[in-house]
Amino acid sequence: MSRTDKTKQKLIDALDRIVRGRPARTDGKLTPSNLAREAAIGRATLYRFPDVLAEIERVRNRTAETAPTNLMEKVRHLEKEIEALSREGNTKARQYKEVAERCAQHIQVLTLALRNRDVALAERDQVIAELRVKIEADANVIPIGSRRHPGGGAPGPR
């Protein structure tokens, strides 16, 4: 590859980096000076390649057609996007807060239900204990499963 070919390849690579928004040596603005600096060649050398200069113009024209008419328009567009994302985020945050509040209410209801159940079980256990004391104190009570019947003998007809 000749020196001229190598230089042209450097220019093409530099142009590609600038167009892709990944310049290594410049601010990324597409100008002949920046292209020469990006390719690490002298500016005068760049002017020996009119086809590369023409490509700069083609890229500029193509970019001008697709780019916003001015930076303020782009800024307004981005601000609208930020506002929309912010609203969406606020909406989601409100929804999550509402869900958390409903969960807290459910937890409170369930906690009260458990307390009521515990109180009812304690009352039931107290009644059972009292009945056991009465049963043990009453001599006429025959425990279930016992084969003894009042008056002795075999069990009577049912």
Side-chain angles (χ1 to χ4, degrees):
M1 184 183 280
S2 71
R3 179 188 284 179
T4 303
D5 291 339
K6 287 180 184 177
T7 303
K8 185 170 185 175
Q9 189 59 49
K10 283 183 177 181
L11 286 166
I12 291 169
D13 292 344
L15 180 62
D16 184 57
R17 285 194 304 274
I18 291 174
V19 168
R20 289 181 187 273
R22 297 179 186 262
R25 298 180 178 98
T26 64
D27 62 3
K29 198 171 184 183
L30 185 57
T31 64
S33 294
N34 275 352
L35 183 59
R37 196 172 305 124
E38 188 69 27
I41 63 168
R43 190 168 166 205
T45 303
L46 170 64
Y47 286 100
R48 292 188 201 141
F49 296 91
D51 54 330
V52 174
L53 291 170
E55 184 62 25
I56 291 173
E57 285 307 310
R58 278 194 295 275
V59 170
R60 279 182 174 170
N61 291 336
R62 193 175 23 187
T63 304
E65 292 169 6
T66 60
T69 55
N70 61 38
L71 289 177
M72 289 308 296
E73 181 181 323
K74 188 171 186 176
V75 167
R76 280 192 293 275
H77 174 73
L78 291 173
E79 285 173 342
K80 286 179 184 177
E81 280 186 39
I82 290 169
E83 187 177 318
L85 290 171
S86 178
R87 276 194 307 270
E88 182 180 323
N90 289 341
T91 300
K92 286 189 187 279
R94 274 194 304 275
Q95 290 171 343
Y96 291 143
K97 186 176 179 182
E98 290 170 4
V99 167
E101 287 172 356
R102 282 196 303 269
C103 288
Q105 290 170 351
H106 287 297
I107 290 169
Q108 189 174 19
V109 166
L110 292 172
T111 301
L112 289 173
L114 284 173
R115 284 185 189 155
N116 290 338
R117 185 210 57 186
D118 291 345
V119 168
L121 289 174
E123 289 173 355
R124 181 203 66 187
D125 291 345
Q126 180 65 35
V127 169
I128 289 171
E130 289 171 3
L131 289 173
R132 281 194 176 137
V133 169
K134 285 182 183 178
I135 289 172
E136 290 172 3
D138 191 353
N140 293 327
V141 174
I142 300 173
I144 298 176
S146 170
R147 298 283 181 196
R148 288 185 299 132
H149 296 282
R158 285 191 174 202

